[in-house]
Each structure stands twice: as C-alpha cells, then as structure tokens.
Amino acid sequence: MVVTAVGVNSQTGIIFTLLGAGGEEEEKKDKKAKKQDGAVAMEMQPLKSAEGGEMEEREKKKASIPKKEKSVLQGKLTKLAVQIGKAGLVMSAITVIILVLYFVIETFVVEGKVWLAECTPVYVQYFVKFFIIGVTVLVVAVPEGLPLAVTISLAYSVKKMMKDNNLVRHLDACETMGNATAICSDKTGTLTTNRMTVVQSYIGDVHHKEKPDPSSLNSKTLDLLVNAIAINCAYTTKILPPEKDGALPQQVGNKTECALLGFVLDMQRDYQLVRDQIPEETLYKVYTFNSVRKSMSTVVCLPNGGFRLYSKGASEIILKKCSNILNGAGDLRTFRPRDRDEMVKKVIEPMACDGLRTICVAYRDFQGVPEPEWENENEIVGDLTCICVVGIEDPVRPEVPEAIRKCQRAGITVRMVTGDNINTARAIAAKCGIIQPGEDFLCLEGKEFNRRIRNEKGEIEQERLDKIWPKLRVLARSSPTDKHTLVKGIIDSTIGEQRQVVAVTGDGTNDGPALKKADVGFAMGLAGTDVAKEASDIILTDDNFSSIVKAVMWGRNVYDSISKFLQFQLTVNVVAVIVAFTGACITQDSPLKAVQMLWVNLIMDTFASLALATEPPTESLLLRKPYGRNKPLISRTMMKNILGHAVYQLVIIFTLLFVGEIIFDIDSGRNAPLHSPPSEHYTIIFNTFVMMQLFNEINARKIHGERNVFDGIFANPIFCSIVLGTFGVQILIVQFGGKPFSCSPLNTQQWLWCLFVGVGELVWGQVISTIPTSHLKCLKEAGHGPGKDEITDEEMAEDEEEIDHAERELRRGQILWFRGLNRIQTQNDRDEERDRD
C-alpha cells in the first residue's frame, strides 16, 4: 500500500477543514514545526512559499477577529432598538429640562419668590416629580419588550416546530428560514425515499410499465428469476418486517439488491425458502461485484452434476454477453446483436429516460465433466441467457412535488445537488417539479461546473459563478467541495437586488461543509451522520423535504409576529411619549402618572409580546416572496398604521385633556396641587388610553393592510385570554386602584364612553386601510438590514476567512504528492546506478 495523503490532505481532512475543525490543530502544528530541527524546517519551507507568504499574516489577522454570529433579524432589531432608545432618551431629557425651567421661571422670576431654606423640601419634591415624569417617558419610549417578544416568538415556534418534525438546534435559524430565497437539496433520502424499488420490467418479450401480475408470467421463467435473485444477491441483504405498524419494510444491505428482493416478494414468492435450500456455504463459486465488471455472478451445483451460473449487473454489459433470451413460453430464443440494438432502443433507453437504473438478470448452465476453468472469468461469464431486465429507481416521495411547488410559489428557488449521474438527476428533478419544460435552466455535472467557474490558474471567480448559479437547477456528480463552492458563491453574490439567503439539506459527512456554510443547514434525523447533524441548524426528524416548507412557514411567522408586536408597541410609544411630553410642557404634569405608565408598559410589552408572538402560521404566508436581507422591519403599510392610529389616539386624549371636564361635566384635573387626590378627569384619560390600546391590539394582528382583523383570532387562545384578562385587570385598577394608581372610580356612563372610543379604533383601522400606501411616498421605512455598501469589517473578515480551505489543502496535498514522487524517482535512479556499478 502506498500512502498518498494523511490528515488535512486527505478527503476527510479537507471536509473537516471546511467545517472549521482544523484551526486549533494548525496552530499546534506551527508551534511544533518551529521546535523541530533545521533540516525538517527546510523541508517544510517550500510549502509556505508555494501558498504565498501573506498567508501567515492573514491567518494571524483572522484569529484576532471574532466570528460574526448575528442573524438577519437580530441585526435589524438591534439597529431599530438603538434608534428608538436614543429618541426616547432625548425626549425624556427635554421633558425634564422644560419642566424644571418652566417651574423655576414661573416661581422665581414671574412670581418673584425667593428660595427660602424652609421651602427647600417642597421644591425638592417638585424636582423629584419632574425627574419621575422624565424617567416615565424614557421607560415608555424604550421598547424593552422587544427582546422578550423575539424570545417568546422563537421559543414558541421551536416548540411547535418539533411537532412538524423540525428539531431546531439554533434559535435564530428558525427566523432566518423565513427569509430563505434558495434551497440546495440533496436527492437521495430527501426528495426520494432512499428505498430502491423495481418499477418497470421486461420479462418474456413483454415490457411491464407497472408491477406484473405473477399469474401472467410463465412459471418456469418465474422460478428461474426467483432463484437467480435469491442466490445471486449477498446473503447479508435482507428485507425485514417494519419496525412500527404502518411503516415500510426495512431494507438491510445493498439498496439495489434490496430492490430485486422486493421484486421477488411482489411476485408473491419467498426468497428465504430458496436460501434455506441452498445455504451460503454450499455456493460453489462467487464472482463478487466490482466497478470494472459492473456485475456479480454466483455458481451453484445442480442435482444432475452440472453447474449453473447466475449473473446480474448493468444491462449494457450483461446484454452484450447474452446469446439467448427467454421468450413468453419460457423457452430459449437466439439473441443476436441486432436483437440487442432493438432492445436497447425499445426497452433500455425509455427506462433510462425515466431516470431508471437498468439491471439485467441472466444465467448459464455448464456440463459437470469436464469442469469449466473457473479462473477464466471472461469465458465463464459469457454466452448467457437473459431472464429479464428490470428498471430500478429511488421513487420520489409522494409529498415532495407539492412541497416544491409551494416553495416556488413562495419565491424560493429549489436546486438539486447530488452525487448521482446527470440523467437520473434530471429525471428526478423533472418528476419533483424542480425543472419545468420550456424553462431556461441549467443542469451541470461537477466537472463542467468547475470548468466554467475557474480561471486559468484554477481559482474560483465570483463573476464566473454569478453567470451560472441563477439558472442552475441540477448539479450532478458533485463532490463535497462543489456543494460548498456553490452555496458560498450564492451567499456571497451581489448581482440581485437582494442578497440571497440559502438553506441546504444533507445527510452525509460530505454535506457537512455546505451545511455549515449555509444560512440554515437542515440535516436528516434518520439517515444523517453525526457530522452532518453537528454542522446543521435544524434536524428533520422525518428526513422529509415537506418539513422544510413548514420551517419556512414558521420562519415567516416569527418575522411577522415580531412586526405585529412592533406595530402595536410603536403606536403606544409614540402616543405615550407625545402625551407625557406635551402634557408636561403645557400643564406642568403628565396626564398619565408614573404607575399608570408602568401598567401601560406592562400591557404593551409583556402581555402584547405574549399575545402577538404566539399567533399560529397560516398557508397565506407562503403566497408572498421572501423579505430578504435588506427588507425593513417596519414597512410603509406598518408606518401608515402606526402614524394613523397615533393621530386618532392623540386627538382623543388631547380632546379629553383640555375639554374633557366640559364633556363629562366633572371637575378639571389640570394644574392640581402637589398632593391632590386622584381626579375623575385624569382617570377617564387613563382608562380611554388603555381601552384604545386593547382594541388596537386586535388591529395589530394584521400588518399587510388586510381588512379582516378578526381572521383566525380564535385559533390563538393565548391572544383572546390576554385581551380579556387585561380588560378585567383594568376594571379592578380603575374601580379599586385608588391613590397608588392615581385612579378615581368611574360610573357606568363614563365606562361606556371609554369603551365606545376604544371600539372606534377598529372603525378607524378600516379607514386607514382604505388609504392606498402607494400615495404616501413621504413615509419612511425603518429597521433596515445592512445595505450593500454597509458591509461591516467583520463580514469582510469573514469573507477573507472563507478563502477556500479545501483548495489550499488540495494544493498542499499536490505539492506533497509531487515531492513524494520525486523522492521515489530519485531513490530508484540511485538504486539503478548502484546496480550498474
């Protein structure tokens, strides 16, 4: 055995390097290399120079930069929260300054009072009151419920997604999935069942497009077929009963052989009876399968002293070795090259076009005396009689075409990346609906893909990749590095209006790098390896592509839930801050007291986040395009709703503040002394404000301008119970809150007026949704993701880090390989010289 590559230069090493596992070991190796003697250090020298001297500096830089971990939503929320926080701080500071200045000018300048020592406690109380009002404005302005809403929404979604067979390993993956614009899916086991099945057969001159009826077949032919399959398949390949009721039988061993054994069972025969009669140890000779001969043959002894050889393999190879074929009556018929060409045209090619793998099953009888020369395999496996040709496929999962159609309708491009050959891949892609007839698409093999994206030096160029990936739908015969390259290329591409968000599915260790690189990696829970699961963000517990559609739905729902919460909260923020600020400036006192503000804060933060973040997803979420990376959190429609409702609430509150006492014929609460008891006037303002928030919470359930805000309200019992619960607590606070809540009990008429104004929110909501958003060009959107020109240093560093490790390792491997060959060559030359001497 000649060792050609070890460690990071082997295929497994390259995969682990792409997964980022090689970092620490590299550092240790560098330290060791420095300690080693000069000769070895010299030996290592060319390696460094071959890769360019800047590599080391880059490595050092890379190590010092932290890895970027923020999700798209986190980035937008952080940006928005900081902006709101700053605005709130400024407003609260101005409020305090105005109150203090107003008080000082009014007291000491206009009234001409002198600051007396005995009056100090009273003045201090005023200043404390002003400070409390300022803090209240700040508390109301800062959306501290935002992280809570996000966490609740994600945690709730994750719990529910478990029921939809999505085991979420990283919380933010759930939200990122809602923005996915592309899915690169594996074929085997994800789009297909990973259960090879015989779907077509050619027996006794008849091409069966479906499973043949055993009674319609010649019994002699059927017996031969059953024996040929039962004996000439590895005895370790079996079909076992299903583990659970309703599940499919288990396939153990080689998948192709399992398909053939399944075909025997479909013919209502038991292959195990044949194996019991002819145990494995009695087999006379076995020519095992290898990739050159593409066939497997087994010789058994016949009772009359002769031998029978059963052979199976790729149809194009076995048919060339056939000189006879069994006809409909089970008799031999001569099989000439002309017959073979016709069979290829009429049977093999149509099967191949349907994406089937064709296997030919044949046999040959030998005389017992003289015994054939078994070592001459070419002679032995020849002059065969064809029993049948079967077409095997890994069937598409029944629910996959519909799932892919939903993805495409939702604006997500599905691509298939597989190691299978291009014809099979194309046929499966067509069955799934990944490629549609008449569309402009590309199906490439790994070799061709690499040829198109690399320059003369063999380096990957983003411009070349950008020409290919938008049309690419199928990448066949792809290596792990190809999959990683494609995913990285799509993510890094900046040719569209939006940067792409890519999800990847995979089950094998070789899918690890692509799963890790993707924005969201889906690993298979049943067939997936540990490496794939470790590199992924979400594990599909049922290995089913349709579960990905559910993940998209939940992801979009999280995004929308947070937008609903923001729409509700920002309306309350705007109104509460303006009321507190204006009221304080005009009446030297906030109409909403500190404790009342805190109660409002509790309603709009904690309760609202619970109510709006637990809305269940609906199919309608899949009818729109993905938001993408740069889409703002607060759209124009939401901004219209926020400002529209804020105007309504401010008009009502200021009307009540300045003419409320006249409307209700009660005492005015304005300009009350420092420790005066609560007034009915200010209680009505507080109660009306809360009622408007409660009904506006129902409006906030829709963020895309829908008219029916009650649609699906009873599907969310948490929402209903929170709204009713808040209403109940509000009654208690108003009627029995007294001095702590600065409330005076209200009579029935006053309560009805408060409710009437609250319900007016729903009517006003309909008025707002009538105004077309397109006419309101003046409205700004808020909460954008980073734009193209705003790509941060961290991201730049990450891109730098992504200089393809695999390529570097391959290049290093090539250098070591050539160096090894040179040494062997030199050694050989020396030996020859020595021999000559």
Side-chain angles (χ1 to χ4, degrees):
M1 184 175 86
V2 179
V3 176
T4 58
V6 294
V8 290
N9 303 310
S10 64
Q11 268 301 320
T12 312
I14 290 165
I15 287 169
F16 276 94
T17 309
L18 285 172
L19 282 168
E24 293 162 28
E25 286 117 62
E26 289 282 310
E27 283 172 32
K28 287 178 195 166
K29 275 187 207 161
D30 289 349
K31 285 177 190 168
K32 274 188 194 168
K34 282 173 191 167
K35 288 179 190 171
Q36 283 170 345
D37 59 5
V40 181
M42 283 300 290
E43 189 57 60
M44 292 298 284
Q45 213 52 49
L47 249 180
K48 293 274 186 229
S49 59
E51 290 180 34
E54 302 145 37
M55 207 53 97
E56 277 178 290
E57 287 171 39
R58 209 177 274 154
E59 294 288 316
K60 282 176 196 163
K61 270 189 211 165
K62 187 179 81 185
S64 64
I65 294 164
K67 193 95 168 72
K68 184 168 66 59
E69 279 297 334
K70 252 187 199 167
S71 74
V72 180
L73 181 67
Q74 273 177 314
K76 291 179 185 179
L77 283 172
T78 308
K79 209 170 166 189
L80 188 67
V82 168
Q83 288 168 347
I84 296 172
K86 282 179 185 169
L89 194 62
V90 169
M91 287 296 277
S92 66
I94 292 172
T95 309
V96 174
I97 292 165
I98 287 176
L99 283 169
V100 171
L101 284 175
Y102 202 102
F103 174 74
V104 170
I105 292 167
E106 181 75 27
T107 311
F108 300 116
V109 179
V110 178
E111 293 179 15
K113 290 182 182 172
V114 182
W115 187 304
L116 299 170
E118 57 266 27
C119 295
T120 303
V122 179
Y123 297 148
V124 168
Q125 277 183 346
Y126 270 109
F127 290 136
V128 167
K129 177 183 162 188
F130 300 151
F131 179 71
I132 287 172
I133 289 170
V135 169
T136 308
V137 171
L138 182 63
V139 166
V140 172
V142 175
E144 66 273 24
L146 210 46
L148 182 68
V150 177
T151 310
I152 287 174
S153 187
L154 287 172
Y156 175 77
S157 301
V158 165
K159 182 167 162 267
K160 292 285 186 185
M161 280 171 81
M162 192 62 225
K163 290 179 183 169
D164 287 339
N165 303 309
N166 284 283
L167 170 60
V168 180
R169 294 181 68 243
H170 301 134
L171 266 184
D172 59 358
C174 169
E175 149 264 307
T176 310
M177 196 55 218
N179 290 323
T181 54
I183 297 174
C184 293
S185 175
D186 206 17
K187 177 179 78 72
T188 311
T190 312
L191 301 174
T192 59
T193 57
N194 196 19
R195 294 175 60 83
M196 285 295 185
T197 314
V198 172
V199 288
Q200 290 187 28
S201 55
Y202 182 81
I203 308 171
D205 294 339
V206 182
H207 186 176
H208 300 273
K209 293 285 177 82
E210 287 171 0
K211 287 174 191 165
D213 178 13
S215 58
S216 68
L217 299 177
N218 180 280
S219 59
K220 200 166 83 179
T221 306
L222 191 54
D223 287 341
L224 264 172
L225 177 60
V226 171
N227 283 347
I229 291 173
I231 295 166
N232 191 31
C233 283
Y235 276 40
T236 48
T237 302
K238 298 182 184 118
I239 292 185
L240 301 177
E243 284 179 333
K244 297 176 196 155
D245 290 344
L248 292 164
Q250 298 177 72
Q251 292 188 343
V252 179
N254 181 294
K255 296 285 181 195
T256 306
E257 293 185 345
C258 284
L260 293 169
L261 292 176
F263 185 57
V264 170
L265 295 176
D266 288 340
M267 296 296 105
Q268 292 161 15
R269 294 296 189 91
D270 187 358
Y271 66 87
Q272 197 55 48
L273 292 175
V274 179
R275 288 181 171 182
D276 292 342
Q277 286 168 2
I278 305 174
E280 194 170 6
E281 52 273 16
T282 63
L283 299 179
Y284 194 78
K285 173 91 181 151
V286 177
Y287 300 97
T288 53
F289 178 89
N290 74 27
S291 54
V292 177
R293 66 167 85 100
K294 287 203 165 95
S295 67
M296 171 187 178
S297 305
T298 304
V299 181
V300 292
C301 300
L302 293 173
N304 62 8
F307 300 97
R308 178 169 285 170
L309 170 120
Y310 292 115
S311 192
K312 72 170 192 306
S315 58
E316 65 271 19
I317 288 176
I318 298 287
L319 284 174
K320 279 179 188 167
K321 297 179 178 180
C322 288
S323 53
N324 296 298
I325 189 167
L326 293 179
N327 64 16
D331 302 323
L332 295 190
R333 177 166 59 79
T334 311
F335 190 66
R336 292 183 296 274
R338 192 176 65 236
D339 300 328
R340 186 174 63 237
D341 294 343
E342 193 177 334
M343 187 164 170
V344 166
K345 201 178 287 177
K346 291 194 173 164
V347 179
I348 311 288
E349 280 178 5
M351 283 188 183
C353 289
D354 288 341
L356 307 185
R357 184 188 298 171
T358 51
I359 303 283
C360 179
V361 180
Y363 80 103
R364 179 184 178 182
D365 286 338
F366 294 94
Q367 299 289 321
V369 182
E371 192 168 326
E373 195 184 324
W374 299 117
E375 294 313 310
N376 185 356
E377 191 188 324
N378 283 342
E379 193 63 40
I380 297 290
V381 185
D383 193 22
L384 302 172
T385 301
C386 172
I387 305 171
C388 76
V389 174
V390 292
I392 294 177
E393 77 165 348
D394 186 358
V396 171
R397 286 175 178 268
E399 59 282 346
V400 162
E402 176 60 16
I404 286 178
R405 205 174 56 76
K406 281 182 182 173
C407 283
Q408 289 165 342
R409 197 177 57 199
I412 302 167
T413 308
V414 182
R415 293 179 175 85
M416 182 202 285
V417 185
T418 176
D420 229 331
N421 76 57
I422 191 148
N423 292 328
T424 308
R426 191 185 275 122
I428 297 286
K431 282 179 186 170
C432 293
I434 290 174
I435 56 180
Q436 311 277 354
E439 263 186 4
D440 184 16
F441 59 81
L442 273 176
C443 296
L444 294 179
E445 283 195 336
K447 271 185 188 170
E448 175 66 10
F449 173 70
N450 276 302
R451 195 182 62 72
R452 290 200 192 186
I453 63 168
R454 293 175 191 271
N455 58 20
E456 299 74 46
K457 295 177 189 169
E459 293 162 348
I460 296 164
E461 284 187 2
Q462 187 66 41
E463 299 89 68
R464 290 176 181 233
L465 231 167
D466 286 344
K467 287 177 190 164
I468 290 175
W469 73 257
K471 288 185 181 176
L472 185 69
R473 291 294 175 273
V474 176
L475 182 59
R477 287 273 180 250
S478 66
S479 69
T481 317
D482 293 340
K483 195 167 186 177
H484 179 268
T485 305
L486 176 66
V487 172
K488 181 179 181 298
I490 298 176
I491 291 174
D492 292 350
S493 177
T494 51
I495 53 171
E497 296 166 27
Q498 295 277 9
R499 297 249 325 270
Q500 296 280 310
V501 179
V502 182
V504 168
T505 68
D507 55 0
T509 303
N510 55 352
D511 296 318
L515 289 169
K516 186 98 172 168
K517 178 64 196 165
D519 293 297
V520 184
F522 286 89
M524 301 298 139
L526 302 174
T529 62
D530 289 346
V531 172
K533 288 177 187 174
E534 195 54 43
S536 69
D537 301 295
I538 297 176
I539 294 172
L540 299 176
T541 53
D542 63 345
D543 288 14
N544 197 333
F545 188 86
S546 61
S547 301
I548 296 174
V549 180
K550 304 240 178 77
V552 172
M553 221 155 80
W554 277 106
R556 292 187 174 190
N557 191 55
V558 166
Y559 212 88
D560 280 10
S561 295
I562 288 158
S563 294
K564 289 171 190 175
F565 172 72
L566 272 172
Q567 177 174 298
F568 174 69
Q569 175 156 37
L570 291 180
T571 310
V572 187
N573 277 17
V574 168
V575 175
V577 170
I578 291 175
V579 166
F581 174 73
T582 317
C585 295
I586 297 173
T587 67
Q588 283 71 65
D589 188 8
S590 168
L592 299 167
K593 301 294 179 280
V595 179
Q596 293 175 351
M597 284 283 215
L598 292 173
W599 165 238
V600 168
N601 214 32
L602 188 67
I603 294 174
M604 72 182 194
D605 276 359
T606 317
F607 294 160
S609 59
L610 255 175
L612 292 167
T614 53
E615 287 272 311
T618 58
E619 286 280 337
S620 61
L621 287 166
L622 295 173
L623 298 176
R624 63 168 173 77
K625 297 277 179 277
Y627 286 147
R629 289 179 192 270
N630 313 334
K631 174 88 167 69
L633 268 174
I634 299 171
S635 63
R636 270 217 183 91
T637 309
M638 286 168 65
M639 197 59 93
K640 176 184 78 174
N641 291 342
I642 290 168
L643 296 177
H645 288 294
V647 166
Y648 173 83
Q649 294 184 13
L650 286 171
V651 167
I652 296 287
I653 285 172
F654 285 134
T655 305
L656 289 175
L657 180 60
F658 296 114
V659 292
E661 73 274 22
I662 301 165
I663 297 169
F664 288 103
D665 192 22
I666 47 176
D667 296 332
S668 170
R670 287 193 306 280
N671 302 321
L674 195 60
H675 293 301
S676 56
S679 66
E680 279 184 331
H681 182 194
Y682 274 24
T683 306
I684 287 173
I685 293 175
F686 164 60
N687 198 27
T688 306
F689 182 64
V690 171
M691 287 301 121
M692 288 194 293
Q693 301 326 318
L694 274 184
F695 286 98
N696 194 32
E697 202 166 334
I698 298 170
N699 280 326
R701 292 182 67 250
K702 302 294 172 192
I703 52 171
H704 298 297
E706 299 94 328
R707 283 194 174 279
N708 185 2
V709 291
F710 291 101
D711 181 33
I713 195 165
F714 296 113
N716 186 3
I718 298 176
F719 182 89
C720 301
S721 47
I722 282 176
V723 170
L724 294 171
T726 310
F727 184 61
V729 175
Q730 178 66 16
I731 294 172
L732 294 176
I733 287 175
V734 170
Q735 298 305 109
F736 309 106
K739 197 157 176 59
F741 279 95
S742 310
C743 285
S744 170
L746 302 180
N747 61 34
T748 311
Q749 186 191 0
Q750 290 162 338
W751 262 103
L752 287 171
W753 272 109
C754 294
L755 261 174
F756 173 73
V757 172
V759 173
E761 267 287 1
L762 296 173
V763 180
W764 183 247
Q766 295 301 312
V767 174
I768 293 173
S769 55
T770 310
I771 304 166
T773 314
S774 52
H775 292 180
L776 304 170
K777 292 275 188 289
C778 54
L779 291 182
K780 287 273 186 291
E781 297 166 326
H784 285 266
K788 279 182 194 171
D789 25 333
E790 279 182 67
I791 292 172
T792 57
D793 296 344
E794 277 182 29
E795 273 185 58
M796 293 295 282
E798 191 183 347
D799 288 345
E800 200 139 296
E801 182 182 341
E802 281 291 348
I803 289 162
D804 209 326
H805 280 292
E807 277 192 54
R808 198 184 316 155
E809 298 308 344
L810 278 171
R811 215 172 297 153
R812 185 180 295 186
Q814 285 165 352
I815 293 163
L816 285 170
W817 171 239
F818 288 130
R819 195 177 301 153
L821 279 177
N822 284 339
R823 277 192 187 163
I824 294 167
Q825 194 65 47
T826 314
Q827 190 65 42
N828 284 348
D829 294 347
R830 280 180 190 160
D831 291 348
E832 281 173 20
E833 276 175 32
R834 203 179 300 127
D835 291 348
R836 275 205 294 274
D837 293 347

